[in-house]
Amino acid sequence: MENNNDKKEGIITNFVLYSVGCSNECVFCGKANRGDIDKNLRDEYDKLKEISNKSKIEIVEISGNDPIEYEKITEVIWKIKHISKAEKIMLSTHGRNLVNKDLLKSILEAGVTSLRIPIYGHNASIHDSITQSKGSFEDVMRALENIYYLDNKPELIITSLILKENQYNLKELFYLISKIKFAKEFHLSIAGFVPSKRNFIKSIPDFEDLKRDFNDTLKFSKKINLKLIIRDIPVCITKDDKIPHADFSVPYKGYKHFGLEDYGVPIYMQKKKTKECESCVYNDSCEGFFRTYIEGGFIKLTPLLKKL
Ligand code: SF4
């Protein structure tokens, strides 16, 4: 399959440590136990070598559950850097282990140029209710403090997801994140929904309430100069077509472990439109919304009949 990514100078791919396990038990993810990490590493290194033999790799995104909980993560990053020669290595992590300053320094020396760390609530009560792990909020705050004191800071992106647990306190969350001045951006999205994860249903936001309240929250983000980027949330929910918006772009060979073809999109990130979209003035520029929420009956799209 051809993708716009092919035409770019360098390839964006990912390195998914899906077998590492995680001490958090986030409501949208569940408990992740350690699996066959040796096979996982072999497959991902092979993927990286195959791509680097054919193309220039520009960015490697390291993710999984949670990469930084693997005790040899520094070694893995060195190897990724060596194989890929990528200019940018991004690490997505819950951030908890970065309370350890030595680990923070070693992953940066190994080649990490960018960190993505989620904050789900403005206090421990909300954040920890989403990670289902007591102490996780405090760890993230301490990790951020460690990053703040670095002389050579990596690029830092704070991320978050709108969930039932935090949807009525988003302004407070925005305010907290606006105070992390050394963060480059704040990316806000809605969790991908895997229908087999029935436990997650209680955490799905009330979309009718969100449609009613979200625009007011976005106005607040402008007042406090939050460097906000909305990801994968259509205009019929935001009621704002000015705030920077980005849609998920699939990394080349990113999800080979799911058995997906190049640029294959996992089910929880697939989008669709409904017949209502045909009457929406944003139809041509909109990618729709996550199909698992639409097909599960959790949201009804309400088309906009004139430009905002
Ligand atoms: S095209 Fe559909 S999903 Fe997109 S903004 Fe309009 S109603 Fe919403």
Side-chain angles (χ1 to χ4, degrees):
M1 191 201 296
E2 195 180 299
N3 183 290
N4 284 339
N5 214 343
D6 289 327
K7 301 186 185 85
K8 285 189 191 158
E9 220 178 83
I11 291 284
I12 299 170
T13 189
N14 63 6
F15 192 98
V16 190
L17 284 160
Y18 53 85
S19 297
V20 170
C22 186
S23 54
N24 281 355
E25 200 175 339
C26 295
V27 290
F28 47 87
C29 185
K31 184 82 197 142
N33 294 317
R34 183 159 290 195
D36 187 345
I37 185 71
D38 293 333
K39 178 180 181 323
N40 181 174
L41 284 168
R42 255 191 332 268
D43 290 349
E44 292 296 289
Y45 287 137
D46 286 350
K47 178 178 86 177
L48 213 55
K49 282 177 198 156
E50 190 192 328
I51 303 169
S52 66
N53 284 341
K54 290 184 200 152
S55 318
K56 177 180 170 353
I57 299 178
E58 195 177 313
I59 302 173
V60 181
E61 301 175 356
I62 306 172
S63 63
N65 54 24
D66 185 290
I68 212 157
E69 292 202 12
Y70 183 45
E71 49 288 347
K72 294 184 190 162
I73 185 64
T74 303
E75 202 180 291
V76 173
I77 295 163
W78 277 113
K79 207 161 167 186
I80 291 172
K81 177 84 185 162
H82 178 74
I83 297 170
S84 70
K85 315 266 186 313
E87 277 161 35
K88 192 166 178 182
I89 296 182
M90 295 167 50
L91 177 67
S92 292
T93 171
H94 55 44
R96 299 189 65 176
N97 300 42
L98 301 180
V99 296
N100 178 338
K101 291 178 192 165
D102 292 335
L103 177 65
L104 173 61
K105 277 189 194 146
S106 72
I107 60 160
L108 298 177
E109 280 165 15
V112 167
T113 56
S114 175
L115 288 167
R116 282 172 182 254
I117 297 179
I119 304 179
Y120 299 115
H122 68 288
N123 58 26
S125 157
I126 295 178
H127 182 89
D128 292 2
S129 73
I130 290 168
T131 62
Q132 300 192 101
S133 187
K134 204 167 178 331
S136 57
F137 180 78
E138 197 189 325
D139 282 349
V140 173
M141 293 301 121
R142 286 174 56 208
L144 291 174
E145 189 181 345
N146 287 345
I147 296 168
Y148 171 76
Y149 283 115
L150 288 172
D151 290 332
N152 293 312
K153 294 181 193 38
E155 176 187 82
L156 173 68
I157 310 279
I158 302 292
T159 64
S160 196
L161 298 167
I162 303 173
L163 298 150
K164 180 67 88 41
E165 289 84 348
N166 65 12
Q167 79 170 107
Y168 302 104
N169 296 93
L170 289 175
K171 280 188 187 170
E172 292 91 332
L173 176 65
F174 283 15
Y175 185 71
L176 170 72
I177 292 169
S178 75
K179 296 292 163 198
I180 308 169
K181 300 283 184 206
F182 55 100
K184 184 184 174 215
E185 286 163 1
F186 169 45
H187 294 186
L188 180 68
S189 189
I190 287 174
F193 168 45
V194 180
S196 60
K197 294 193 170 164
R198 309 301 295 169
N199 286 345
F200 174 57
I201 290 175
K202 64 177 183 347
S203 297
I204 291 176
D206 182 314
F207 285 109
E208 287 309 307
D209 284 358
L210 190 64
K211 283 188 223 168
R212 184 195 61 213
D213 301 337
F214 198 34
N215 186 258
D216 186 47
T217 311
L218 292 176
K219 282 185 182 140
F220 176 71
S221 79
K222 289 175 191 167
K223 260 190 211 156
I224 59 172
N225 295 321
L226 187 65
K227 291 172 269 182
L228 174 65
I229 295 186
I230 297 284
R231 300 188 68 98
D232 301 301
I233 308 178
V235 181
C236 57
I237 297 176
T238 61
K239 312 272 173 34
D240 184 303
D241 59 3
K242 303 282 183 304
I243 284 203
H245 183 276
D247 281 297
F248 173 68
S249 78
V250 200
Y252 176 57
K253 287 192 190 298
Y255 300 95
K256 226 179 153 196
H257 57 287
F258 287 154
L260 295 172
E261 299 292 315
D262 293 355
Y263 300 114
V265 183
I267 183 168
Y268 56 89
M269 294 307 285
Q270 290 174 12
K271 292 188 190 146
K272 74 181 285 185
K273 290 185 185 171
T274 61
K275 66 173 176 20
E276 284 78 13
C277 297
E278 288 165 20
S279 58
C280 178
V281 288
Y282 291 93
N283 194 15
D284 288 345
S285 58
C286 176
E287 293 195 4
F289 190 53
F290 296 133
R291 62 170 264 219
T292 49
Y293 285 111
I294 295 172
E295 289 168 5
F298 297 101
I299 185 169
K300 193 167 175 347
L301 301 177
T302 40
L304 294 155
L305 303 179
K306 54 179 190 203
K307 287 264 179 190
L308 294 164

